[in-house]
Amino acid sequence: MTDAAIETASAQIRRVEEGQAPAPVICTFFDEATNTASHVVHCPVTKHAAIIDSVLDYEAAAGRTSFASAQAIVDYVVAEGLSVDWQLETHAHADHLSAAPWLQEKLGGKLAIGADIIRVQEVFGKIFNAGTRFARDGSQFDHLFHDDDKFSIGELPVTVLHVPGHTPADLAFVIGNAAFVGDTIFMPDFGTARADFPGGDARRLFKSIRRLLSLPPQTRLFLCHDYKAPGRDEYAWLTTVAAERALNIHVHDGVTEDDFVEMRTSRDSTLSMPRLILPSVQVNMRGGHMPEPEGDGVSYIKIPVNRL
């Protein structure tokens, strides 16, 4: 992690706030079945766009996929006349399957994730006994991002931040004056992501969150999930750095690293595995593609017994 990356991101946020650069246009699609927020971000000047953390509908009991959630994104992109440059993943999700390959076929765009996906592939390749035919080099993706990488979506500047802890490969994308933070942090009344998956680390998560919360206070944070904290009736996926620093129940200003690690470790020990973790990780570590079909032409999801 470099301070330069935060300085660059903070500078681009200030340029937007001062009217020197365009602000991103953002439309969110919330999938209640997986509590996932997918975002379409576009440049208002050029209409170039990115899709972040898309969802492939999956009926676990039947092992059947469908595309209603992804089709809603296609319909929006077509109606707005957008040109999709990127299919971005903040990490290899354990709670939903990615629709990125299907969306690529419909809309184009390079599929990208963090370079440390190779660590996730190595760990879960062993867990699922994926064999030597499963490449563990990130080659299932079109591009692998590193910390402090920079690119553009039309006239929108983008800075990439590596924010590990939930998984080794988590990224946040600072686009204009907004940051898309994946599973690192949730709404202030719900707290923070778990860190007990293979490769997770509560101390690294704390450092990553504090890094994100060093962005300018007015920075908009777009989340990947919401679970409606007790007492709240509506789903929400937009907050700010200032709100998180003041109100986040797990990591507000004043919470120490040791306090956080003790809380997170204790809390994580009580949590069940996500309902779709087994199909999700097998597909998402392959860039959203199903495992290679077997001799009968069918793809199969493995269920490792007593492994997780």
Side-chain angles (χ1 to χ4, degrees), residues 203-222:
R203 289 195 182 276
R204 296 191 78 187
L205 179 61
F206 179 83
K207 290 179 172 66
S208 293
I209 291 171
R210 295 312 306 180
R211 189 181 191 215
L212 288 170
L213 297 186
S214 69
L215 291 168
Q218 71 274 19
T219 306
R220 297 177 294 161
L221 303 180
F222 286 84

Side-chain angles (χ1 to χ4, degrees), residues 89-91 112-118 143-146 169 171 173:
E89 301 286 358
T90 55
H91 63 294
I113 200 168
D116 279 323
I117 186 64
I118 62 174
H143 188 83
L144 301 180
F145 284 117
H146 297 81
L171 297 181
F173 297 98

Side-chain angles (χ1 to χ4, degrees), residues 160-171:
V160 179
L161 303 178
H162 182 215
V163 286
H166 175 60
T167 79
D170 281 63
L171 297 181

Side-chain angles (χ1 to χ4, degrees), residues 262-279:
E262 182 179 357
M263 177 281 302
R264 191 68 267 171
T265 303
S266 175
R267 180 176 172 81
D268 288 350
S269 69
T270 70
L271 300 177
S272 301
M273 286 289 104
R275 180 175 59 90
L276 293 181
I277 186 172
L278 296 178

Side-chain angles (χ1 to χ4, degrees), residues 84-98:
V84 175
D85 295 341
W86 293 95
Q87 305 280 348
L88 301 176
E89 301 286 358
T90 55
H91 63 294
H93 308 275
D95 37 34
H96 71 271
L97 283 66
S98 171

Side-chain angles (χ1 to χ4, degrees), residues 93-161:
H93 308 275
D95 37 34
H96 71 271
L97 283 66
S98 171
W102 189 83
L103 287 167
Q104 276 188 302
E105 291 182 5
K106 304 294 182 180
L107 301 170
K110 293 181 180 179
L111 173 57
I113 200 168
D116 279 323
I117 186 64
I118 62 174
R119 295 180 57 192
V120 176
Q121 291 175 328
E122 185 63 34
V123 169
F124 281 98
K126 292 177 181 177
I127 288 174
F128 292 114
N129 195 28
T132 57
R133 295 180 67 187
F134 170 56
R136 295 160 169 83
D137 58 2
S139 58
Q140 300 87 347
F141 299 85
D142 299 315
H143 188 83
L144 301 180
F145 284 117
H146 297 81
D147 188 52
D148 202 16
D149 278 351
K150 301 169 185 64
F151 64 102
S152 297
I153 302 168
E155 295 185 12
L156 299 175
V158 184
T159 300
V160 179
L161 303 178

